[in-house]
Amino acid sequence: MQITNKLNLPQSLVNAVTTERHNKEDSVSATTLLQGVKQIILTARHWDEIEDDVSDRVWAVFGTAVHKLLEEKNPNAFTEERFECKLGSKTVTGQVDLYDMEEKTITDYKTASVWKVKFKSFDDWKKQGLIYAWLLKKEGLEVKRCRFIAMLRDWTKGEAQRNMDYPQAQIYEYVFDVTEKDLREIEIFINDKVLQIIDDENKSDDEIAPCTGEERWETETKWKVKKDGRKTAVKVCSTEAEALNYISDNFNNDKSYYVEEVAGQSKRCTDYCLCNKFCNFYKKLREVQCTQSEQG
């Protein structure tokens, strides 16, 4: 990976954020398994060509520092322990921040946005925790519970005081119990994802199927009922037909009302995928976005 320094930040910070390849050859980590197969393969294939800027990696360094600060000195626990399990030609790996052997609990430290808490978007954390639990089970270690402790980097005290629906503290804890059903389901997920990776590794970049909508953090396309002279939408609909029918039923096809399409977005592709410039799906997505922008 090539680290750029567009803001001309100190070399010490550049050195701090410079990272080695996350996955060794033929290995795939728990967090990597949460990505789409196309993203996983393109990232590995183009690692030496991928660019990322120092300014975009600061929070990753902060997260690492938090891990070190919060290591618990406990004779019944171990920290930063790496586990792995061979599946075919691949090795699934996971590094556990903390495992309490007495409480049989995995703890993972995170930095996150307030929006993750507001929208209760914890599916990725749950899968990550369950992959860790699955790996520990392979070593004969039982996991009854997973706990994620997140520092909310964009939290503000003022907003917490004004809005009771806003997280009321800068630290947020997400906890869930681990069941046998969970472990069976995550084992299916792991095996299916690893098999997909193996099957697609010999394909060209463009032949690999796009990541799923869920993996791309895709939002749905919506249709807004708008009125001339009014800034906000009268109604937001899931289909164009629903929007047109709403105008017909409520405004007798008044020509001052019209329908505006708001295209769904793939947020991970646009903002968080380092290999997007090698992805034909993303290139087509950008072409559509540019066309819509010009027409708008």
Side-chain angles (χ1 to χ4, degrees), residues 67-81:
H67 288 173
K68 294 299 181 184
L69 288 171
L70 298 179
E71 284 183 357
E72 298 186 25
K73 305 303 180 183
N74 183 337
N76 294 316
F78 54 75
T79 61
E80 299 289 333
E81 192 74 24

Side-chain angles (χ1 to χ4, degrees), residues 109-125:
Y109 302 113
K110 297 284 189 186
T111 58
S113 169
V114 164
W115 295 103
K116 189 172 189 70
V117 176
K118 289 193 69 174
F119 290 118
K120 307 297 181 186
S121 178
F122 302 127
D123 183 63
D124 55 339
W125 288 2

Side-chain angles (χ1 to χ4, degrees), residues 99 105 136 138 147 188-189 202 207 240 251:
Y99 174 67
T105 297
L136 266 64
K138 295 293 182 181
R147 180 174 64 160
I188 293 170
F189 170 81
N202 293 323
E207 288 176 329
E240 183 178 23
F251 306 111

Side-chain angles (χ1 to χ4, degrees), residues 42 82 87 136 168 223 226 239 250:
L42 294 188
R82 183 181 174 88
L87 284 180
L136 266 64
Q168 294 299 295
W223 283 262
K226 303 289 289 288
T239 66
N250 293 278

Side-chain angles (χ1 to χ4, degrees), residues 203-215:
K203 296 178 181 178
S204 69
D205 289 359
D206 292 355
E207 288 176 329
I208 303 170
C211 303
T212 65
E214 180 182 1
E215 291 164 343

Side-chain angles (χ1 to χ4, degrees), residues 3 83 89 110 124 128 139 172 194-195 202 258 271 287:
I3 302 297
F83 294 86
S89 61
K110 297 284 189 186
D124 55 339
Q128 181 183 347
E139 297 293 332
Y172 184 84
V194 169
L195 284 174
N202 293 323
Y258 61 97
D271 299 329
E287 289 175 5

Side-chain angles (χ1 to χ4, degrees), residues 101-164:
M101 294 176 283
E102 188 173 21
E103 296 185 359
K104 303 185 188 307
T105 297
I106 288 173
T107 299
D108 194 86
Y109 302 113
K110 297 284 189 186
T111 58
S113 169
V114 164
W115 295 103
K116 189 172 189 70
V117 176
K118 289 193 69 174
F119 290 118
K120 307 297 181 186
S121 178
F122 302 127
D123 183 63
D124 55 339
W125 288 2
K126 184 165 186 178
K127 283 181 179 175
Q128 181 183 347
L130 289 174
I131 294 171
Y132 288 160
W134 178 82
L135 285 167
L136 266 64
K137 184 179 180 180
K138 295 293 182 181
E139 297 293 332
L141 297 171
E142 182 184 8
V143 177
K144 291 184 176 180
R145 187 176 299 103
C146 289
R147 180 174 64 160
F148 287 80
I149 300 174
M151 179 172 287
L152 306 179
R153 54 181 180 262
D154 50 354
W155 182 87
T156 63
K157 182 178 290 187
E159 187 62 28
Q161 292 171 341
R162 288 189 296 269
N163 183 0
M164 291 305 297

